[in-house]
Amino acid sequence: MSADRAGQPITMRQVAEAAGVSIATVSYVVNDKKGARIGPEARQRVLDAVKELGFRPNALAKTLSSGSSNFIGLVADAIATTPFAGQIIHGAQDEAWKHGYVLLVANTEGDLAAEEAAISMMLEHKVRGILYSTWYHRAVTAPPALHETEYVLVDCFDTATPAPAVVPDEREGGNVATRLLLNAGHTRIAFVNTTTPSPARSGRLAGYRDALQGAGIAFDPTLVLDAAPEQEGGYAVAGRIRDLGVTGVFCHNDRVAMGLYDGLRELGLTIPNDIAVVGFDNQEVIAAHLRPPLSTVALPHYELGAAGVRVLLGLQEAPTGAPLAISCPPVPRASV
Amino acid sequence: MSADRAGQPITMRQVAEAAGVSIATVSYVVNDKKGARIGPEARQRVLDAVKELGFRPNALAKTLSSGSSNFIGLVADAIATTPFAGQIIHGAQDEAWKHGYVLLVANTEGDLAAEEAAISMMLEHKVRGILYSTWYHRAVTAPPALHETEYVLVDCFDTATPAPAVVPDEREGGNVATRLLLNAGHTRIAFVNTTTPSPARSGRLAGYRDALQGAGIAFDPTLVLDAAPEQEGGYAVAGRIRDLGVTGVFCHNDRVAMGLYDGLRELGLTIPNDIAVVGFDNQEVIAAHLRPPLSTVALPHYELGAAGVRVLLGLQEAPTGAPLAISCPPVPRASV
């Protein structure tokens, strides 16, 4: 049997109560999640409760036929115009499916009317909640209609609401990027930051300083340049980079690194022998295929989407008063 | 009023019948579609019928509350792992919304179980129909469950079913790409094709030959090279390209062109002065930012998604026995 006495489908909550564990633990066991640290005893109690109650781990068809809302909405400003945002969708969808939810995706291209219509549509479909996501990490003003349901901000945050938010850990990412250079023996390292004020700009700079401090190297503000955050910006600063006498450069993003490659090459410098270069974003189509392939730090888009769903469903806690920061892992290749 | 005597919302079909025109014509008038060739008289009859019947052009809220299915499903093998497929979603969603439909998106990463579950979910939600799409143009075997609803194949085709399909016009695209070079005065033009058998491989080659023939230039098979369809492939053939004595090169895609740029540069050749280069795909993050910016041909992903929805809704006809081929427009930049 897979329904309780009232004919309602068995929920993870009921399994959790019967087993005396958290819903998250049930979810981990039921979905055979790799890396979850759950003791063999708790695992067995969950499996026993699943069997006894007749809980169906593959909840999708079940939830669908139960008539209760099984939708999670994802409102995105620009799925389509960036090669990035797709991984947010991918992560959110995988995680939603795991828990028996279907992701309803609406791409608004930042148009307020489209956004309003999308949220209305989702509310009319009685979604379990909404992920409101942006294609790059930034401050937003959450649309008022969101307050009619539960929501999580993904890759963005709104200091005016207590709604949970999930963002990349820019500061740790900047630290990780700089350490890729430090660990290879570089001590005089430039940072080509972006001209655009943003959490990425301030966070990655703070991380660069953290890493230098951790290595006992004094911060030298003359080694920090600002450039337009794309190929043209990186190309334009190549001469200044050469003149700084640095042996390593951390670039705000992979596109800047791509332009810097061209600029350094025209100056007769080789990477990494003359100058080592590290990017940020891990924009696959660029980073993996430059000559030499670019060492970089990944923006955790998949994980942002997945964590957003877990926070929405109460399976993962977000700190109050600050966004949940997701790690940006290093992707070493051949440019250091 | 916006409901008929039985309390049902007024449909486009009823407006079409009252006005004596096709549903497509009603849709065009109601959505103020640019470029639709509709006479002033027919347009007026539609507007009169809309007014008389109380049809609400902004059908979304209407359809939502009517209880009838307002979903169109989109099953995609890889929205997330390619920077391309997103535009298919974007186009499909814009077009769906225009006609009062909401797009339900499922990304399957090509996993058969996920695909089956996604289609089941969509059928349970009584979707109006399903777009089954792939991230690159190829032959597929449509999953059997699709036959339980109407469906359109997008960026793929299945010779075993009479289902309509919408694909890029690879042959015309190859012709357009080659003409970018011919029109600039080049007469000895190489084609770096892909090693991977595909409609893109055969179609773009046929288009290259069409363009040469159109210009009265004999096809020379020694000018066609095969390379892995990414940067490394283009880089590897640079020496052979130089030795062929060509003044222009059409590359199978933008990634090949990017690698060829690096290879030609190392040989001391400049683009476009020594050799002109044309790509294919218009992969923005690459093509617009190479030095010099790459002239290329766009894959019409947005239009594939939009046309898929129009064919599904009967607003556009697809030929029987062959896919509907969508034009690939030229994107001239500075590499020719």
Side-chain angles (χ1 to χ4, degrees), chain B residues 234-246:
Chain B
Y235 179 80
V237 296
R240 289 170 62 199
I241 290 291
R242 178 198 49 194
D243 298 343
L244 285 173
V246 296

Side-chain angles (χ1 to χ4, degrees), chain A residues 205 208-209 212-213 217-224:
Chain A
L205 175 61
Y208 165 77
R209 298 186 64 158
L212 293 178
Q213 188 170 16
I217 296 171
F219 171 67
D220 176 354
T222 65
L223 299 188
V224 178

Side-chain angles (χ1 to χ4, degrees), chain A residues 60-61 64-65 70-71 79-81 83 86-87 90 93 97 102-109 114 117-118 121 124-125 230-232 235 255 258 262 265-266 283 285-286 288-291, chain B residues 60-61 64-65 70-71 80-81 83 86-87 89-90 93 97 102-109 114 117-118 121 124-125 230-232 235 255 258 262 265-266 283 285-286 288-291:
Chain A
L60 185 59
L64 280 171
S65 61
N70 63 310
F71 285 121
I79 302 170
T81 48
Q87 287 290 352
H90 191 191
Q93 178 167 290
W97 279 54
V102 171
L103 200 67
L104 264 182
V105 178
N107 184 64
T108 65
E109 290 294 317
M121 175 274 281
E124 292 199 42
H125 281 88
E230 50 196 17
Q231 285 90 334
E232 290 76 0
Y235 179 78
R255 289 183 297 152
M258 177 172 161
D262 280 349
R265 184 157 33 203
E266 285 187 16
Q283 195 155 350
V285 71
I286 291 177
H289 300 284
L290 288 177
R291 306 193 64 81
Chain B
L60 184 60
L64 281 170
S65 60
N70 63 309
F71 286 119
T81 48
Q87 287 289 352
I89 300 175
H90 191 191
Q93 178 168 289
W97 280 54
V102 172
L103 199 69
L104 265 181
V105 178
N107 185 64
T108 65
E109 291 295 318
M121 177 274 282
E124 292 200 40
H125 281 88
E230 51 198 14
Q231 284 90 334
E232 291 75 1
Y235 179 80
R255 290 183 297 151
M258 177 173 161
D262 279 350
R265 188 159 28 206
E266 285 186 17
Q283 195 156 350
V285 72
I286 291 176
H289 300 284
L290 289 177
R291 306 193 63 82

Side-chain angles (χ1 to χ4, degrees), chain A residues 70-76 79 84-106 129-133 152 154 166 300-313 315, chain B residues 79-80 105-107:
Chain A
N70 63 310
F71 285 121
I72 291 174
L74 174 72
V75 176
I79 302 170
F84 282 151
Q87 287 290 352
I88 292 179
I89 300 176
H90 191 191
Q93 178 167 290
D94 281 359
E95 193 68 24
W97 279 54
K98 234 188 245 178
H99 305 291
Y101 287 89
V102 171
L103 200 67
L104 264 182
V105 178
I130 292 177
L131 304 185
Y132 181 85
S133 74
V152 176
V154 175
V166 181
H301 284 109
Y302 180 95
E303 193 48 36
L304 288 171
V309 167
R310 286 196 301 271
V311 169
L312 184 73
L313 296 178
L315 300 171
Chain B
I79 302 170
V105 178
N107 185 64

Side-chain angles (χ1 to χ4, degrees), chain A residues 190-195 225-242 244 249-267 269 271 275 277-279 290 294, chain B residues 289 291:
Chain A
F191 177 33
V192 182
N193 207 351
T194 174
T195 47
L225 312 181
D226 284 344
E230 50 196 17
Q231 285 90 334
E232 290 76 0
Y235 179 78
V237 297
R240 290 170 63 198
I241 289 291
R242 176 198 51 193
L244 286 172
V249 186
F250 163 30
C251 296
H252 181 76
N253 66 29
D254 295 347
R255 289 183 297 152
V256 168
M258 177 172 161
L260 183 62
Y261 267 51
D262 280 349
L264 293 177
R265 184 157 33 203
E266 285 187 16
L267 297 171
L269 298 169
I271 300 166
I275 295 195
V277 177
V278 168
L290 288 177
L294 178 67
Chain B
H289 300 284
R291 306 193 63 82

